[in-house]
Amino acid sequence: MDLPAPLVWLVDEAGASPGPERFLAELGRRLLADGIPLAGGALSLAVPHPIIARRIWLWRAETTGTVIEALGFAGGPPSQAGHDWLAGLGPVHEDAVGSPGDSPVLGWAGLRPFDPAEADRLRQTARFAAAPLAALSAQAALAALLEAYLGRRSAARVQAGALHRGTGETIRAALLCADLRDFTALSEATEPAAMITALDAWFDRVAGAVHAFGGEVLKFIGDGVLAIFPATGASGEACEAALRAVAAARAGMAHLDEVRQAQGLPPLPFGAALHFGEMLWGNIGAADRLDFTAIGPAVNLVSRLEGLCKPLGRSVLISGAVAAQTTTTLIPLGKHPLRGIADPCAVFTLPED
């Protein structure tokens, strides 16, 4: 029996698709060429992630291959993003692919209602799509787990095969180092559950600000955070993004302290430092336990600079390397020696600090 061209592709080639977005666009293109009157398509995959329940890819026939992504978040009602988007294009046909439960969902919008023969061909397409989508679902699940624990950029590097100890690359980036003040005393006087809640609230503010302005959290260390803003273009762009992120984090913490005060809880004072420089970004660790992180003099300097926040009575300190790359108004605080750093560091702060 001769199979239609889209089904032949699903059997022979679809398993090699580089990702769900290319799979959806290519399958939609082949169904169009086979005479199915499509306006668009959607593919939804469940992923194991702390806040994202499903990733949804949306394809519109008239954009020749362009795919956009939507997210369905955990804890809310089941995501209807794919169905609702398709309904805006035309009559919808959807199929769960594979076993019931958190299976992939493949949906299509028609230029007109699908006739019975067309609907049957789409159901048959979903059955043949089960094998390649199983592989793509496993890849998406792995990507979600790696992103949750490593961050998106680092996860992409690991998935691309950067798995050997000592492998890495030298990058230029703005660095942000931040931690809570007097955390040890606070933790000794606070119930563990309440302390975890306070830490989560702190990390939400600083990590949320980092991600909002294009940065990536490399690691949480106790109550501390190390984040980078890679300089993919002009150095000043990374520095400006880092400055916006630290200002947003400070505003978020000010609001959190107001909420805690209303609850009769103590504030959460913090210190944050920004620096710009080169670092080695890659795998460091033991033979059987690796950490994908950044090391180098720039990382050491930003850590030492953050330790100067308390002595100087400031919540934010900025190195001269960042100040030289930005047009943002900063207040100079002079040069200060930093432990383990040969030369004194020119130090600045934000006007409101």
Side-chain angles (χ1 to χ4, degrees):
M1 180 180 69
D2 290 335
L3 291 175
L7 302 189
V8 172
W9 177 77
L10 285 170
V11 171
D12 293 340
E13 301 177 51
S17 297
E21 62 281 359
R22 295 310 311 147
F23 172 88
L24 177 63
E26 184 63 19
L27 180 56
R29 185 186 71 78
R30 289 174 181 270
L31 289 171
L32 270 176
D34 201 44
I36 304 294
L38 297 180
L43 171 61
S44 171
L45 300 179
V47 292
H49 190 276
I51 63 170
I52 300 168
R54 299 189 77 87
R55 294 179 67 182
I56 304 125
W57 290 270
L58 309 169
W59 166 77
R60 192 164 184 164
E62 65 184 29
T63 59
T64 15
T66 301
V67 176
I68 60 175
E69 186 179 349
L71 300 174
F73 292 96
S79 175
Q80 294 292 312
H83 183 278
D84 293 346
W85 187 82
L86 291 172
L89 300 180
V92 177
H93 175 97
E94 284 187 321
D95 292 293
V97 181
S99 311
D102 285 335
S103 58
V105 176
L106 194 56
W108 306 100
L111 295 171
R112 53 167 173 74
F114 297 111
D115 63 37
E118 291 164 347
D120 186 62
R121 286 161 67 189
L122 292 177
R123 281 190 290 271
Q124 191 177 29
T125 296
R127 288 195 293 272
F128 275 75
L133 280 182
L136 289 173
S137 293
Q139 292 174 17
L142 176 60
L145 283 172
L146 288 173
E147 288 175 13
Y149 284 92
L150 298 179
R152 176 162 286 198
R153 290 184 182 89
S154 299
R157 288 292 311 283
V158 171
Q159 278 195 291
L163 301 174
H164 300 292
R165 181 169 58 168
T167 58
E169 62 176 318
T170 298
I171 65 169
R172 300 168 70 244
L175 297 100
L176 184 152
C177 181
D179 73 2
L180 293 176
R181 299 270 79 88
D182 303 319
F183 174 73
T184 301
L186 181 64
S187 61
E188 290 177 350
T190 307
E191 290 294 325
M195 196 65 248
I196 289 173
T197 299
L199 277 176
D200 286 345
W202 152 242
F203 288 141
D204 274 344
R205 269 66 179 181
V206 65
V210 166
H211 294 150
F213 291 97
E216 178 163 323
V217 171
L218 286 185
K219 60 175 59 185
F220 300 109
I221 312 166
D223 62 317
V225 181
L226 177 64
I228 60 171
F229 297 79
T232 55
S235 301
E237 294 176 1
C239 293
E240 293 288 355
L243 284 164
R244 293 188 183 100
V246 79
R250 189 176 58 175
M253 289 303 293
H255 179 262
L256 176 63
D257 283 344
E258 291 177 2
V259 172
R260 288 176 60 83
Q261 183 179 19
Q263 296 171 342
L265 298 172
L268 296 175
F270 71 95
L274 298 180
H275 180 52
F276 182 85
E278 287 189 348
M279 68 211 73
L280 178 66
W281 182 45
N283 282 307
I284 293 107
D288 60 348
R289 175 62 173 89
L290 299 174
D291 188 14
F292 203 92
T293 188
I295 61 170
V299 181
N300 297 336
L301 190 148
V302 76
S303 174
R304 299 290 187 261
L305 182 60
E306 190 279 325
L308 200 60
C309 288
K310 187 174 182 179
L312 293 184
R314 307 286 181 167
S315 63
V316 176
L317 294 180
I318 300 150
S319 76
V322 172
Q325 300 283 352
T326 179
T327 58
T328 300
T329 301
L330 302 175
I331 305 301
L333 300 177
K335 288 189 174 184
H336 294 266
L338 300 176
R339 183 168 58 87
I341 306 297
D343 298 323
C345 178
V347 179
F348 297 78
T349 191
L350 295 173
E352 303 85 356
D353 202 17

